[in-house]
PDB file of all heavy atoms in Angstrom:
ATOM      1  N   GLU A  92      44.372 -31.672 -13.807  1.00  0.00           N
ATOM      2  CA  GLU A  92      44.331 -30.927 -15.080  1.00  0.00           C
ATOM      3  C   GLU A  92      45.635 -31.161 -15.851  1.00  0.00           C
ATOM      4  O   GLU A  92      46.746 -31.053 -15.219  1.00  0.00           O
ATOM      5  CB  GLU A  92      44.211 -29.470 -14.707  1.00  0.00           C
ATOM      6  CG  GLU A  92      44.235 -28.551 -15.948  1.00  0.00           C
ATOM      7  CD  GLU A  92      44.278 -27.053 -15.603  1.00  0.00           C
ATOM      8  OE1 GLU A  92      44.066 -26.766 -14.365  1.00  0.00           O
ATOM      9  OE2 GLU A  92      44.340 -26.227 -16.496  1.00  0.00           O
ATOM     10  N   THR A  93      45.575 -31.608 -17.104  1.00  0.00           N
ATOM     11  CA  THR A  93      46.741 -31.839 -17.887  1.00  0.00           C
ATOM     12  C   THR A  93      46.724 -31.059 -19.138  1.00  0.00           C
ATOM     13  O   THR A  93      45.757 -30.907 -19.831  1.00  0.00           O
ATOM     14  CB  THR A  93      46.706 -33.382 -18.219  1.00  0.00           C
ATOM     15  OG1 THR A  93      46.786 -34.151 -17.062  1.00  0.00           O
ATOM     16  CG2 THR A  93      47.957 -33.785 -19.122  1.00  0.00           C
ATOM     17  N   LYS A  94      47.965 -30.530 -19.444  1.00  0.00           N
ATOM     18  CA  LYS A  94      48.146 -29.752 -20.730  1.00  0.00           C
ATOM     19  C   LYS A  94      49.310 -30.342 -21.368  1.00  0.00           C
ATOM     20  O   LYS A  94      50.326 -30.591 -20.797  1.00  0.00           O
ATOM     21  CB  LYS A  94      48.365 -28.241 -20.353  1.00  0.00           C
ATOM     22  CG  LYS A  94      47.134 -27.601 -19.832  1.00  0.00           C
ATOM     23  CD  LYS A  94      47.475 -26.158 -19.424  1.00  0.00           C
ATOM     24  CE  LYS A  94      46.250 -25.448 -18.779  1.00  0.00           C
ATOM     25  NZ  LYS A  94      46.530 -24.148 -18.516  1.00  0.00           N
ATOM     26  N   GLN A 107      56.110 -31.119 -23.924  1.00  0.00           N
ATOM     27  CA  GLN A 107      55.957 -30.808 -22.571  1.00  0.00           C
ATOM     28  C   GLN A 107      54.470 -31.229 -22.093  1.00  0.00           C
ATOM     29  O   GLN A 107      53.513 -30.842 -22.731  1.00  0.00           O
ATOM     30  CB  GLN A 107      56.048 -29.243 -22.390  1.00  0.00           C
ATOM     31  CG  GLN A 107      55.659 -28.750 -20.970  1.00  0.00           C
ATOM     32  CD  GLN A 107      55.512 -27.224 -20.942  1.00  0.00           C
ATOM     33  OE1 GLN A 107      54.731 -26.697 -21.849  1.00  0.00           O
ATOM     34  NE2 GLN A 107      56.094 -26.573 -20.036  1.00  0.00           N
ATOM     35  N   THR A 108      54.460 -32.069 -21.124  1.00  0.00           N
ATOM     36  CA  THR A 108      53.124 -32.539 -20.457  1.00  0.00           C
ATOM     37  C   THR A 108      53.062 -32.071 -19.032  1.00  0.00           C
ATOM     38  O   THR A 108      53.943 -32.397 -18.248  1.00  0.00           O
ATOM     39  CB  THR A 108      53.043 -34.000 -20.587  1.00  0.00           C
ATOM     40  OG1 THR A 108      53.268 -34.461 -21.992  1.00  0.00           O
ATOM     41  CG2 THR A 108      51.677 -34.508 -20.063  1.00  0.00           C
ATOM     42  N   MET A 109      52.140 -31.160 -18.750  1.00  0.00           N
ATOM     43  CA  MET A 109      52.055 -30.628 -17.449  1.00  0.00           C
ATOM     44  C   MET A 109      50.768 -31.171 -16.753  1.00  0.00           C
ATOM     45  O   MET A 109      49.680 -31.158 -17.358  1.00  0.00           O
ATOM     46  CB  MET A 109      52.049 -29.110 -17.458  1.00  0.00           C
ATOM     47  CG  MET A 109      53.346 -28.645 -18.041  1.00  0.00           C
ATOM     48  SD  MET A 109      53.415 -26.787 -17.910  1.00  0.00           S
ATOM     49  CE  MET A 109      53.746 -26.684 -16.193  1.00  0.00           C
ATOM     50  N   THR A 110      50.838 -31.726 -15.556  1.00  0.00           N
ATOM     51  CA  THR A 110      49.685 -32.134 -14.804  1.00  0.00           C
ATOM     52  C   THR A 110      49.658 -31.465 -13.420  1.00  0.00           C
ATOM     53  O   THR A 110      50.614 -31.423 -12.753  1.00  0.00           O
ATOM     54  CB  THR A 110      49.772 -33.661 -14.652  1.00  0.00           C
ATOM     55  OG1 THR A 110      49.883 -34.291 -15.929  1.00  0.00           O
ATOM     56  CG2 THR A 110      48.503 -34.171 -13.962  1.00  0.00           C
ATOM     57  N   ARG A 111      48.461 -30.916 -13.170  1.00  0.00           N
ATOM     58  CA  ARG A 111      48.298 -30.274 -11.876  1.00  0.00           C
ATOM     59  C   ARG A 111      47.137 -30.924 -11.130  1.00  0.00           C
ATOM     60  O   ARG A 111      46.014 -31.090 -11.695  1.00  0.00           O
ATOM     61  CB  ARG A 111      48.113 -28.787 -11.990  1.00  0.00           C
ATOM     62  CG  ARG A 111      47.944 -28.052 -10.640  1.00  0.00           C
ATOM     63  CD  ARG A 111      47.898 -26.494 -10.837  1.00  0.00           C
ATOM     64  NE  ARG A 111      46.691 -26.217 -11.533  1.00  0.00           N
ATOM     65  CZ  ARG A 111      46.354 -24.907 -11.868  1.00  0.00           C
ATOM     66  NH1 ARG A 111      47.196 -23.932 -11.324  1.00  0.00           N
ATOM     67  NH2 ARG A 111      45.332 -24.640 -12.491  1.00  0.00           N
ATOM     68  N   SER A 112      47.322 -31.211  -9.770  1.00  0.00           N
ATOM     69  CA  SER A 112      46.201 -31.895  -9.064  1.00  0.00           C
ATOM     70  C   SER A 112      46.313 -31.292  -7.645  1.00  0.00           C
ATOM     71  O   SER A 112      47.211 -30.440  -7.369  1.00  0.00           O
ATOM     72  CB  SER A 112      46.310 -33.388  -9.063  1.00  0.00           C
ATOM     73  OG  SER A 112      47.490 -33.756  -8.355  1.00  0.00           O
ATOM     74  N   GLY A 115      49.787 -31.823  -6.077  1.00  0.00           N
ATOM     75  CA  GLY A 115      51.006 -31.036  -6.598  1.00  0.00           C
ATOM     76  C   GLY A 115      50.904 -30.947  -8.103  1.00  0.00           C
ATOM     77  O   GLY A 115      49.880 -31.159  -8.692  1.00  0.00           O
ATOM     78  N   ARG A 116      52.075 -30.823  -8.633  1.00  0.00           N
ATOM     79  CA  ARG A 116      52.189 -30.695 -10.137  1.00  0.00           C
ATOM     80  C   ARG A 116      53.432 -31.444 -10.588  1.00  0.00           C
ATOM     81  O   ARG A 116      54.426 -31.547  -9.977  1.00  0.00           O
ATOM     82  CB  ARG A 116      52.253 -29.251 -10.572  1.00  0.00           C
ATOM     83  CG  ARG A 116      53.236 -28.370  -9.906  1.00  0.00           C
ATOM     84  CD  ARG A 116      53.016 -26.971 -10.241  1.00  0.00           C
ATOM     85  NE  ARG A 116      53.923 -26.079  -9.634  1.00  0.00           N
ATOM     86  CZ  ARG A 116      54.031 -24.745  -9.863  1.00  0.00           C
ATOM     87  NH1 ARG A 116      53.220 -24.222 -10.690  1.00  0.00           N
ATOM     88  NH2 ARG A 116      54.972 -24.033  -9.248  1.00  0.00           N
ATOM     89  N   THR A 117      53.266 -31.833 -11.880  1.00  0.00           N
ATOM     90  CA  THR A 117      54.285 -32.678 -12.557  1.00  0.00           C
ATOM     91  C   THR A 117      54.464 -32.067 -13.968  1.00  0.00           C
ATOM     92  O   THR A 117      53.463 -31.773 -14.602  1.00  0.00           O
ATOM     93  CB  THR A 117      53.910 -34.166 -12.670  1.00  0.00           C
ATOM     94  OG1 THR A 117      53.703 -34.600 -11.320  1.00  0.00           O
ATOM     95  CG2 THR A 117      55.095 -34.991 -13.286  1.00  0.00           C
ATOM     96  N   MET A 118      55.718 -31.996 -14.405  1.00  0.00           N
ATOM     97  CA  MET A 118      55.973 -31.629 -15.809  1.00  0.00           C
ATOM     98  C   MET A 118      56.936 -32.625 -16.306  1.00  0.00           C
ATOM     99  O   MET A 118      58.032 -32.950 -15.770  1.00  0.00           O
ATOM    100  CB  MET A 118      56.641 -30.207 -15.854  1.00  0.00           C
ATOM    101  CG  MET A 118      56.943 -29.730 -17.315  1.00  0.00           C
ATOM    102  SD  MET A 118      57.392 -28.095 -17.497  1.00  0.00           S
ATOM    103  CE  MET A 118      59.105 -28.154 -16.792  1.00  0.00           C
ATOM    104  N   ILE A 119      56.660 -33.176 -17.530  1.00  0.00           N
ATOM    105  CA  ILE A 119      57.382 -34.168 -18.217  1.00  0.00           C
ATOM    106  C   ILE A 119      57.944 -33.462 -19.545  1.00  0.00           C
ATOM    107  O   ILE A 119      57.137 -33.044 -20.299  1.00  0.00           O
ATOM    108  CB  ILE A 119      56.558 -35.344 -18.570  1.00  0.00           C
ATOM    109  CG1 ILE A 119      56.109 -36.128 -17.230  1.00  0.00           C
ATOM    110  CG2 ILE A 119      57.569 -36.455 -19.320  1.00  0.00           C
ATOM    111  CD1 ILE A 119      55.242 -37.325 -17.513  1.00  0.00           C
ATOM    112  N   THR A 132      62.858 -35.704 -18.944  1.00  0.00           N
ATOM    113  CA  THR A 132      62.925 -35.155 -17.603  1.00  0.00           C
ATOM    114  C   THR A 132      61.631 -35.131 -17.011  1.00  0.00           C
ATOM    115  O   THR A 132      60.567 -34.610 -17.586  1.00  0.00           O
ATOM    116  CB  THR A 132      63.528 -33.724 -17.689  1.00  0.00           C
ATOM    117  OG1 THR A 132      64.790 -33.755 -18.367  1.00  0.00           O
ATOM    118  CG2 THR A 132      63.729 -33.163 -16.243  1.00  0.00           C
ATOM    119  N   VAL A 133      61.484 -35.643 -15.725  1.00  0.00           N
ATOM    120  CA  VAL A 133      60.237 -35.616 -15.008  1.00  0.00           C
ATOM    121  C   VAL A 133      60.461 -34.741 -13.821  1.00  0.00           C
ATOM    122  O   VAL A 133      61.224 -35.023 -12.942  1.00  0.00           O
ATOM    123  CB  VAL A 133      59.740 -36.993 -14.574  1.00  0.00           C
ATOM    124  CG1 VAL A 133      58.499 -36.871 -13.749  1.00  0.00           C
ATOM    125  CG2 VAL A 133      59.594 -37.974 -15.770  1.00  0.00           C
ATOM    126  N   LEU A 134      59.813 -33.516 -13.896  1.00  0.00           N
ATOM    127  CA  LEU A 134      59.876 -32.600 -12.633  1.00  0.00           C
ATOM    128  C   LEU A 134      58.651 -32.699 -11.809  1.00  0.00           C
ATOM    129  O   LEU A 134      57.570 -32.708 -12.398  1.00  0.00           O
ATOM    130  CB  LEU A 134      59.997 -31.203 -13.218  1.00  0.00           C
ATOM    131  CG  LEU A 134      61.257 -30.885 -14.031  1.00  0.00           C
ATOM    132  CD1 LEU A 134      60.971 -30.162 -15.325  1.00  0.00           C
ATOM    133  CD2 LEU A 134      62.108 -29.949 -13.178  1.00  0.00           C
ATOM    134  N   SER A 135      58.739 -32.828 -10.566  1.00  0.00           N
ATOM    135  CA  SER A 135      57.586 -32.983  -9.721  1.00  0.00           C
ATOM    136  C   SER A 135      57.792 -32.061  -8.471  1.00  0.00           C
ATOM    137  O   SER A 135      58.739 -31.851  -7.944  1.00  0.00           O
ATOM    138  CB  SER A 135      57.440 -34.413  -9.345  1.00  0.00           C
ATOM    139  OG  SER A 135      58.456 -34.936  -8.661  1.00  0.00           O
ATOM    140  N   GLN A 136      56.631 -31.457  -8.010  1.00  0.00           N
ATOM    141  CA  GLN A 136      56.655 -30.682  -6.889  1.00  0.00           C
ATOM    142  C   GLN A 136      55.366 -30.932  -6.109  1.00  0.00           C
ATOM    143  O   GLN A 136      54.220 -30.849  -6.602  1.00  0.00           O
ATOM    144  CB  GLN A 136      56.628 -29.169  -7.332  1.00  0.00           C
ATOM    145  CG  GLN A 136      56.648 -28.169  -6.120  1.00  0.00           C
ATOM    146  CD  GLN A 136      56.775 -26.811  -6.600  1.00  0.00           C
ATOM    147  OE1 GLN A 136      56.280 -26.435  -7.639  1.00  0.00           O
ATOM    148  NE2 GLN A 136      57.154 -25.896  -5.624  1.00  0.00           N
ATOM    149  N   ALA A 137      55.470 -31.366  -4.920  1.00  0.00           N
ATOM    150  CA  ALA A 137      54.290 -31.594  -4.001  1.00  0.00           C
ATOM    151  C   ALA A 137      53.522 -30.242  -3.731  1.00  0.00           C
ATOM    152  O   ALA A 137      54.162 -29.141  -3.780  1.00  0.00           O
ATOM    153  CB  ALA A 137      54.668 -32.276  -2.687  1.00  0.00           C
ATOM    154  N   TYR A 199      52.205 -23.418 -14.934  1.00  0.00           N
ATOM    155  CA  TYR A 199      50.917 -22.713 -14.507  1.00  0.00           C
ATOM    156  C   TYR A 199      50.664 -23.091 -13.067  1.00  0.00           C
ATOM    157  O   TYR A 199      51.397 -23.909 -12.429  1.00  0.00           O
ATOM    158  CB  TYR A 199      49.811 -23.204 -15.266  1.00  0.00           C
ATOM    159  CG  TYR A 199      49.527 -24.742 -15.277  1.00  0.00           C
ATOM    160  CD1 TYR A 199      48.626 -25.359 -14.399  1.00  0.00           C
ATOM    161  CD2 TYR A 199      50.316 -25.565 -16.140  1.00  0.00           C
ATOM    162  CE1 TYR A 199      48.436 -26.734 -14.331  1.00  0.00           C
ATOM    163  CE2 TYR A 199      50.076 -26.942 -16.062  1.00  0.00           C
ATOM    164  CZ  TYR A 199      49.151 -27.476 -15.227  1.00  0.00           C
ATOM    165  OH  TYR A 199      49.078 -28.842 -15.105  1.00  0.00           O
TER     166      TYR A 199
END
Side-chain angles (χ1 to χ4, degrees):
E92 178 186 355
T93 300
K94 294 180 182 179
Q107 175 194 48
T108 306
M109 300 187 74
T110 304
R111 183 173 61 176
S112 66
R116 54 189 177 173
T117 303
M118 180 171 73
I119 301 172
T132 304
V133 179
L134 296 129
S135 55
Q136 181 180 25
Y199 61 96

